[in-house]
Structure formats: C-alpha cells, structure tokens
Amino acid sequence: MFQEDMKIYHLFISHNGEGDEEYLTFIQRLIEARDFEWEDHGIPGNNGSEDLNKQIEPAEVVIILSGLYARHHDLIQKQVNIAQKLGKPLVLIRPYGMEEVPGELEKIASGVVGWNRVCIVDRILEALEEE
C-alpha cells in the first residue's frame, strides 16, 4: 500500500555556518522524526541580510537554536529580526543539555522546547496552528 503524500513543512533553522555541532545535532533529530517531512530553507554560510531574507521568506516556521545565540549573537539576532519582520512564528530550542534560554528570545517565541524529537515536531505543528 502506498503512503499518501505527506505535507512537507518549510522551516528555517538558525545557523552560523556549516559544521556547527548544535546545528548538526538538531538536523539529525529532525531526520529521525517519523511521519514528519521537512525542508530547511537556511543555507549555512549565506548570512547577508538579503540572503537571509530569501531563506526565511518561504519558511512556515523559524527555529532558533538558542545555544547559537550566545556564541553568534549578532547573526542569530539578525535572523530573528528578519523572521519577525516577515511575521514568521519562532520556535526556540533550548541550548543542548541546558534549561535556560535567553529571556529576550523567550518573550517573542511562540514556544520553547528541548531536544526531544517528538516534542520538537509537536511544537512546530502547534506554532503553525496558532497562526
């Protein structure tokens, strides 16, 4: 029996450049999520404002890896600002292995979640329903 075509969710996952451990770990979590098809419109390394705008515009949800926020504050803040300007819901992912998230991000996020792949998918779907 053929599985019906699944919806593909269009995401923008915050990034600082290829090879970042937290980014790669997060991508692996999404890959492991069953029954959740997704596409990341983020292109690590293309971090100009115009490039980021083009990456974020087609996304339904913007995922902010808050562990990157402390290490790459200006870049991640630029991604957040563009997402807000475009009216995209923000899902905030806690720093890997930690509970605390930056308060200024928590205030504007539609939700905060840890690294459990089921919780991540649920939070993304909830953010879409809230729109």
Side-chain angles (χ1 to χ4, degrees):
M1 180 188 265
F2 291 102
Q3 185 176 12
E4 289 187 36
D5 288 339
M6 290 180 65
K7 175 176 174 31
I8 296 174
Y9 294 93
H10 296 275
L11 310 176
F12 174 87
I13 301 168
S14 63
H15 55 75
N16 69 305
E18 293 187 49
D20 180 83
E21 186 81 25
E22 193 155 344
Y23 174 81
L24 295 174
T25 301
F26 184 79
I27 294 292
Q28 189 59 41
R29 293 285 155 94
L30 283 183
I31 289 170
E32 294 168 355
R34 295 185 173 273
D35 300 327
F36 184 72
E37 294 292 322
W38 57 278
E39 181 179 341
D40 179 13
H41 290 272
I43 303 169
N46 290 0
N47 296 325
S49 293
E50 192 174 314
D51 290 328
L52 288 171
N53 202 70
K54 287 178 183 173
Q55 294 169 44
I56 294 171
E57 197 166 31
E60 297 169 279
V61 176
V62 172
I63 311 239
I64 300 298
L65 302 175
S66 64
L68 297 180
Y69 190 69
R71 297 192 308 271
H72 308 282
H73 180 271
D74 292 345
L75 175 59
I76 303 303
Q77 187 61 55
K78 185 177 1 175
Q79 294 170 4
V80 167
N81 292 346
I82 291 169
Q84 286 188 291
K85 184 181 80 182
L86 294 172
K88 305 295 179 176
L90 297 170
V91 171
L92 187 59
I93 308 298
R94 289 185 181 98
Y96 193 73
M98 300 173 69
E99 289 297 312
E100 294 296 313
V101 296
E104 61 271 25
L105 290 181
E106 189 171 13
K107 288 178 195 168
I108 60 172
S110 67
V112 179
V113 69
W115 286 76
N116 177 294
R117 68 179 164 265
V118 173
C119 295
I120 292 167
V121 169
D122 286 349
R123 186 62 239 159
I124 291 169
L125 297 176
E126 287 168 14
L128 287 170
E129 290 172 6
E130 292 167 1
E131 284 302 298

